[in-house]
Structure formats: C-alpha cells, structure tokens
Amino acid sequence: QVQLVQSGAEVKKPGASLKVSCKASGYSFKSYYIHWVRQAPGQGLEWMGLISPGGDTITYAQRFQGRVTVTGDTSTNTVYMELSSLRSEDTAMYYCARSVFTPHSHWFDSWGQGTLVTVSP
Amino acid sequence: EIVTTQSPATLSVSPGERVTLSCGVSQSVGTNLAWYQQRADQPPRLLIYGASIRATGIPARFSGSGSGTEFTLTISSLLSEDFAVYYCQQYDHWPLTFGGGTKVEIK
C-alpha cells in the first residue's frame, strides 16, 4: 500500500535549522510530486513547496523563499525538507503529501503521518 | 495569491442531518478545487478533487459541487465519524492555498 513515512519529532532552538525526511513506498515514485504542508497548533494548513520526482522542478511558496530547501534522493525514494533560521512561529506539524505528476493535478491523495517540530529556547 | 475562504467556521449539527459547507476563492479556479477531512490528531484525508469527483474509497454521502469561485461540500447524512474539520484547497494558481477550515461538531 501507499506509504509516506516521515522522520520523528524534533525540538529545536531559535536560529537553528531543521531537516525532515519523507520516505515513499508502495507506488511508482516517478509518477508523483512530493509536497510539504505545515499546520501550526490549532491552525489551518499551509503549503510550503514541492519537488518533482526527478528533482528537476522545485517550487516554494514565496513566504518561505530563502529559508526552505527541498531535495530528493531517487535511489531511496526519499524527499527532504530543510528549514533554516527557525523561529517560534515555525512550531508546527509538518506533513509531506503526494500529487500525481500531471499538470493542474495538485490535490493530495496520500499524506505522511506528520512530524511535530517544536521551536523553543 | 488566491485567498480561499470557508464558511461557517464552526457548524453544530446532529447525527443524521444534512450538512453543506462553503468555500470561496478570490479569483476563478475553474474546477481545480479539492476537499479534505481532518480528524483529531490525524493527517488530512482527500475527499473530493476536481470540485466534484469523489476520491477512492470515499462514501457516496460526500458530494462536491461548484466551479469558478464558489464551491460546496455536502454530507447527506452525518455519521459519528464525520465530526471533523474540513478544508478546501485550490490548485489552479501558485501558491496552492487552503481555506481556514470548517469544524463540524456534535450539537
């Protein structure tokens, strides 16, 4: 079955960097984008960015430009999201999710379990 | 950036009732809109894409409609497992944006 398995919870200090992984299995990795979406405590969903299966297309939401880096490893079907210069407002659950690799098809039919990130002095 | 707005923020309903949730976007997205359900402490689950196409395994009591700037999600008869938060998401324009959610709670 389709699985997106994320790395475990993290506690970080302000100013530090974070790297979360998302390992895909149970489907053809080449056929889907991987996106990152975050959710602050008690809040809604916020799209951060995406990477194409081969890594040749990477798009970020403007508000995260310069702070977020998404990379992929096709040998292990794993995608990574790195967020730098962490602040308290980055405390959130971070999800990876997939969308099919065709134009105008960026709905998310499978999600990771989430990685809780806490930024605290 | 397209602003995606959901109403109401909270809906108090009884099991068995029919529920209609609304989603509006600030400019036309055609039918490039999806709906998700999020239960407590779980990731979102895709319900509807293409404004009206039920995702695999989604019961027929969930239906979506609309195009352009106004969309609705209808649950024909609420079951206990349907009490959750519902989000819409547009995928016609970058960045992808979500509505703020509608919480469906037990009356």
Side-chain angles (χ1 to χ4, degrees):
Chain A
Q1 74 281 24
V2 175
Q3 282 196 301
L4 297 174
V5 179
Q6 299 182 222
S7 49
E10 304 252 19
V11 180
K12 295 290 185 181
K13 294 198 180 302
S17 293
L18 161 77
K19 193 169 188 176
V20 180
S21 67
C22 171
K23 183 172 176 58
S25 62
Y27 70 96
S28 173
F29 187 74
K30 298 177 185 177
S31 299
Y32 289 84
Y33 292 96
I34 294 291
H35 300 249
W36 290 91
V37 176
R38 77 177 187 180
Q39 185 171 37
Q43 302 300 308
L45 301 164
E46 182 176 32
W47 180 78
M48 299 179 69
L50 68 81
I51 186 169
S52 61
D56 52 324
T57 298
I58 300 174
T59 302
Y60 303 127
Q62 187 166 10
R63 66 169 300 196
F64 296 104
Q65 287 273 6
R67 276 212 307 147
V68 68
T69 304
V70 176
T71 56
D73 181 347
T74 55
S75 69
T76 59
N77 292 351
T78 302
V79 173
Y80 302 90
M81 186 279 296
E82 190 163 8
L83 188 63
S84 62
S85 303
L86 290 169
R87 34 214 191 223
S88 60
E89 309 91 89
D90 294 317
T91 293
M93 185 73 81
Y94 288 77
Y95 294 104
C96 61
R98 72 171 197 176
S99 70
V100 67
F101 189 45
T102 54
H104 288 292
S105 300
H106 293 303
W107 62 85
F108 309 125
D109 67 352
S110 187
W111 295 66
Q113 83 277 18
T115 297
L116 182 62
V117 173
T118 303
V119 182
S120 174
Chain B
E1 173 172 325
I2 290 187
V3 177
T4 308
T5 306
Q6 291 186 242
S7 63
T10 305
L11 208 49
S12 297
V13 295
S14 302
E17 282 190 28
R18 179 185 180 91
V19 167
T20 299
L21 284 60
S22 297
C23 174
V25 293
S26 58
Q27 57 183 283
S28 178
V29 299
T31 56
N32 291 322
L33 188 114
W35 289 93
Y36 302 86
Q37 176 194 68
Q38 187 176 32
R39 296 177 178 138
D41 299 322
Q42 293 188 18
R45 176 175 73 139
L46 177 68
L47 299 175
I48 301 283
Y49 63 95
S52 63
I53 303 169
R54 271 191 304 279
T56 302
I58 301 304
R61 65 181 182 274
F62 292 93
S63 63
S65 64
S67 66
T69 61
E70 297 295 329
F71 301 87
T72 59
L73 174 70
T74 300
I75 311 171
S76 60
S77 180
L78 268 174
L79 300 182
S80 57
E81 62 258 35
D82 299 335
F83 290 96
V85 181
Y86 293 83
Y87 294 97
C88 59
Q89 175 233 336
Q90 68 80 21
Y91 51 89
D92 196 63
H93 297 274
W94 301 104
L96 309 181
T97 52
F98 292 88
T102 292
K103 181 179 181 180
V104 177
E105 63 178 25
I106 300 176
K107 192 173 186 178

PDB file of all heavy atoms in Angstrom, chain A residues 39-57:
ATOM      1  N   GLN A  39       1.170  22.761   9.565  1.00  0.00           N
ATOM      2  CA  GLN A  39      -0.031  23.119  10.320  1.00  0.00           C
ATOM      3  C   GLN A  39       0.391  23.522  11.731  1.00  0.00           C
ATOM      4  O   GLN A  39       0.815  22.668  12.518  1.00  0.00           O
ATOM      5  CB  GLN A  39      -1.000  21.944  10.353  1.00  0.00           C
ATOM      6  CG  GLN A  39      -2.340  22.243  11.003  1.00  0.00           C
ATOM      7  CD  GLN A  39      -3.330  21.105  10.811  1.00  0.00           C
ATOM      8  OE1 GLN A  39      -2.977  19.934  10.830  1.00  0.00           O
ATOM      9  NE2 GLN A  39      -4.602  21.453  10.615  1.00  0.00           N
ATOM     10  N   ALA A  40       0.284  24.801  12.026  1.00  0.00           N
ATOM     11  CA  ALA A  40       0.592  25.287  13.372  1.00  0.00           C
ATOM     12  C   ALA A  40      -0.489  24.774  14.333  1.00  0.00           C
ATOM     13  O   ALA A  40      -1.601  24.435  13.911  1.00  0.00           O
ATOM     14  CB  ALA A  40       0.642  26.804  13.378  1.00  0.00           C
ATOM     15  N   PRO A  41      -0.176  24.698  15.620  1.00  0.00           N
ATOM     16  CA  PRO A  41      -1.135  24.160  16.597  1.00  0.00           C
ATOM     17  C   PRO A  41      -2.480  24.869  16.534  1.00  0.00           C
ATOM     18  O   PRO A  41      -2.558  26.093  16.622  1.00  0.00           O
ATOM     19  CB  PRO A  41      -0.432  24.416  17.938  1.00  0.00           C
ATOM     20  CG  PRO A  41       1.013  24.459  17.611  1.00  0.00           C
ATOM     21  CD  PRO A  41       1.116  25.066  16.247  1.00  0.00           C
ATOM     22  N   GLY A  42      -3.539  24.099  16.339  1.00  0.00           N
ATOM     23  CA  GLY A  42      -4.888  24.647  16.294  1.00  0.00           C
ATOM     24  C   GLY A  42      -5.207  25.476  15.069  1.00  0.00           C
ATOM     25  O   GLY A  42      -6.265  26.116  15.013  1.00  0.00           O
ATOM     26  N   GLN A  43      -4.318  25.471  14.088  1.00  0.00           N
ATOM     27  CA  GLN A  43      -4.492  26.317  12.905  1.00  0.00           C
ATOM     28  C   GLN A  43      -4.753  25.486  11.649  1.00  0.00           C
ATOM     29  O   GLN A  43      -4.855  24.254  11.713  1.00  0.00           O
ATOM     30  CB  GLN A  43      -3.248  27.179  12.701  1.00  0.00           C
ATOM     31  CG  GLN A  43      -2.911  28.068  13.885  1.00  0.00           C
ATOM     32  CD  GLN A  43      -4.028  29.027  14.219  1.00  0.00           C
ATOM     33  OE1 GLN A  43      -4.529  29.754  13.356  1.00  0.00           O
ATOM     34  NE2 GLN A  43      -4.453  29.021  15.480  1.00  0.00           N
ATOM     35  N   GLY A  44      -4.845  26.184  10.513  1.00  0.00           N
ATOM     36  CA  GLY A  44      -5.119  25.527   9.247  1.00  0.00           C
ATOM     37  C   GLY A  44      -3.859  25.038   8.560  1.00  0.00           C
ATOM     38  O   GLY A  44      -2.764  25.023   9.123  1.00  0.00           O
ATOM     39  N   LEU A  45      -4.029  24.659   7.289  1.00  0.00           N
ATOM     40  CA  LEU A  45      -2.962  24.059   6.505  1.00  0.00           C
ATOM     41  C   LEU A  45      -2.285  25.115   5.637  1.00  0.00           C
ATOM     42  O   LEU A  45      -2.952  25.993   5.074  1.00  0.00           O
ATOM     43  CB  LEU A  45      -3.552  22.953   5.627  1.00  0.00           C
ATOM     44  CG  LEU A  45      -4.248  21.826   6.397  1.00  0.00           C
ATOM     45  CD1 LEU A  45      -5.127  21.005   5.458  1.00  0.00           C
ATOM     46  CD2 LEU A  45      -3.219  20.930   7.077  1.00  0.00           C
ATOM     47  N   GLU A  46      -0.980  24.984   5.508  1.00  0.00           N
ATOM     48  CA  GLU A  46      -0.195  25.961   4.743  1.00  0.00           C
ATOM     49  C   GLU A  46       0.777  25.224   3.835  1.00  0.00           C
ATOM     50  O   GLU A  46       1.628  24.463   4.311  1.00  0.00           O
ATOM     51  CB  GLU A  46       0.566  26.885   5.693  1.00  0.00           C
ATOM     52  CG  GLU A  46       1.379  27.958   5.009  1.00  0.00           C
ATOM     53  CD  GLU A  46       2.025  28.897   6.007  1.00  0.00           C
ATOM     54  OE1 GLU A  46       2.371  28.475   7.127  1.00  0.00           O
ATOM     55  OE2 GLU A  46       2.200  30.085   5.645  1.00  0.00           O
ATOM     56  N   TRP A  47       0.641  25.458   2.532  1.00  0.00           N
ATOM     57  CA  TRP A  47       1.532  24.821   1.566  1.00  0.00           C
ATOM     58  C   TRP A  47       2.890  25.503   1.555  1.00  0.00           C
ATOM     59  O   TRP A  47       2.972  26.743   1.519  1.00  0.00           O
ATOM     60  CB  TRP A  47       0.896  24.882   0.178  1.00  0.00           C
ATOM     61  CG  TRP A  47       1.713  24.256  -0.903  1.00  0.00           C
ATOM     62  CD1 TRP A  47       1.851  22.923  -1.179  1.00  0.00           C
ATOM     63  CD2 TRP A  47       2.510  24.943  -1.875  1.00  0.00           C
ATOM     64  NE1 TRP A  47       2.682  22.744  -2.252  1.00  0.00           N
ATOM     65  CE2 TRP A  47       3.096  23.960  -2.705  1.00  0.00           C
ATOM     66  CE3 TRP A  47       2.785  26.286  -2.129  1.00  0.00           C
ATOM     67  CZ2 TRP A  47       3.936  24.282  -3.766  1.00  0.00           C
ATOM     68  CZ3 TRP A  47       3.620  26.612  -3.190  1.00  0.00           C
ATOM     69  CH2 TRP A  47       4.183  25.605  -3.987  1.00  0.00           C
ATOM     70  N   MET A  48       3.962  24.691   1.544  1.00  0.00           N
ATOM     71  CA  MET A  48       5.312  25.242   1.596  1.00  0.00           C
ATOM     72  C   MET A  48       6.063  25.099   0.275  1.00  0.00           C
ATOM     73  O   MET A  48       6.825  26.002  -0.110  1.00  0.00           O
ATOM     74  CB  MET A  48       6.118  24.542   2.691  1.00  0.00           C
ATOM     75  CG  MET A  48       5.555  24.698   4.087  1.00  0.00           C
ATOM     76  SD  MET A  48       6.531  23.824   5.293  1.00  0.00           S
ATOM     77  CE  MET A  48       8.046  24.789   5.289  1.00  0.00           C
ATOM     78  N   GLY A  49       5.901  23.969  -0.399  1.00  0.00           N
ATOM     79  CA  GLY A  49       6.646  23.771  -1.625  1.00  0.00           C
ATOM     80  C   GLY A  49       6.499  22.357  -2.149  1.00  0.00           C
ATOM     81  O   GLY A  49       5.856  21.506  -1.529  1.00  0.00           O
ATOM     82  N   LEU A  50       7.094  22.134  -3.330  1.00  0.00           N
ATOM     83  CA  LEU A  50       7.022  20.804  -3.932  1.00  0.00           C
ATOM     84  C   LEU A  50       8.315  20.478  -4.669  1.00  0.00           C
ATOM     85  O   LEU A  50       9.113  21.358  -4.984  1.00  0.00           O
ATOM     86  CB  LEU A  50       5.855  20.709  -4.916  1.00  0.00           C
ATOM     87  CG  LEU A  50       5.915  21.516  -6.228  1.00  0.00           C
ATOM     88  CD1 LEU A  50       6.763  20.842  -7.327  1.00  0.00           C
ATOM     89  CD2 LEU A  50       4.510  21.713  -6.783  1.00  0.00           C
ATOM     90  N   ILE A  51       8.496  19.183  -4.950  1.00  0.00           N
ATOM     91  CA  ILE A  51       9.602  18.711  -5.768  1.00  0.00           C
ATOM     92  C   ILE A  51       9.050  17.674  -6.727  1.00  0.00           C
ATOM     93  O   ILE A  51       8.192  16.851  -6.364  1.00  0.00           O
ATOM     94  CB  ILE A  51      10.745  18.141  -4.900  1.00  0.00           C
ATOM     95  CG1 ILE A  51      11.953  17.776  -5.764  1.00  0.00           C
ATOM     96  CG2 ILE A  51      10.273  16.957  -4.067  1.00  0.00           C
ATOM     97  CD1 ILE A  51      13.208  17.463  -4.956  1.00  0.00           C
ATOM     98  N   SER A  52       9.502  17.717  -7.976  1.00  0.00           N
ATOM     99  CA  SER A  52       9.099  16.722  -8.958  1.00  0.00           C
ATOM    100  C   SER A  52       9.853  15.422  -8.697  1.00  0.00           C
ATOM    101  O   SER A  52      10.864  15.407  -7.989  1.00  0.00           O
ATOM    102  CB  SER A  52       9.383  17.227 -10.379  1.00  0.00           C
ATOM    103  OG  SER A  52      10.768  17.463 -10.537  1.00  0.00           O
ATOM    104  N   PRO A  53       9.390  14.312  -9.291  1.00  0.00           N
ATOM    105  CA  PRO A  53      10.023  13.021  -8.999  1.00  0.00           C
ATOM    106  C   PRO A  53      11.516  12.995  -9.292  1.00  0.00           C
ATOM    107  O   PRO A  53      12.291  12.424  -8.528  1.00  0.00           O
ATOM    108  CB  PRO A  53       9.270  12.042  -9.912  1.00  0.00           C
ATOM    109  CG  PRO A  53       7.973  12.694 -10.200  1.00  0.00           C
ATOM    110  CD  PRO A  53       8.217  14.168 -10.171  1.00  0.00           C
ATOM    111  N   GLY A  54      11.921  13.625 -10.392  1.00  0.00           N
ATOM    112  CA  GLY A  54      13.334  13.616 -10.740  1.00  0.00           C
ATOM    113  C   GLY A  54      14.114  14.764 -10.128  1.00  0.00           C
ATOM    114  O   GLY A  54      15.338  14.852 -10.300  1.00  0.00           O
ATOM    115  N   GLY A  55      13.429  15.638  -9.423  1.00  0.00           N
ATOM    116  CA  GLY A  55      14.081  16.754  -8.759  1.00  0.00           C
ATOM    117  C   GLY A  55      14.363  17.944  -9.666  1.00  0.00           C
ATOM    118  O   GLY A  55      14.987  18.914  -9.232  1.00  0.00           O
ATOM    119  N   ASP A  56      13.903  17.890 -10.926  1.00  0.00           N
ATOM    120  CA  ASP A  56      14.223  18.991 -11.842  1.00  0.00           C
ATOM    121  C   ASP A  56      13.298  20.185 -11.676  1.00  0.00           C
ATOM    122  O   ASP A  56      13.600  21.282 -12.130  1.00  0.00           O
ATOM    123  CB  ASP A  56      14.187  18.494 -13.299  1.00  0.00           C
ATOM    124  CG  ASP A  56      12.908  17.772 -13.630  1.00  0.00           C
ATOM    125  OD1 ASP A  56      12.364  17.054 -12.760  1.00  0.00           O
ATOM    126  OD2 ASP A  56      12.419  17.922 -14.763  1.00  0.00           O
ATOM    127  N   THR A  57      12.155  19.970 -11.021  1.00  0.00           N
ATOM    128  CA  THR A  57      11.254  21.080 -10.717  1.00  0.00           C
ATOM    129  C   THR A  57      11.079  21.179  -9.210  1.00  0.00           C
ATOM    130  O   THR A  57      10.663  20.211  -8.566  1.00  0.00           O
ATOM    131  CB  THR A  57       9.874  20.879 -11.373  1.00  0.00           C
ATOM    132  OG1 THR A  57      10.031  20.848 -12.791  1.00  0.00           O
ATOM    133  CG2 THR A  57       8.930  22.018 -10.990  1.00  0.00           C
TER     134      THR A  57
END
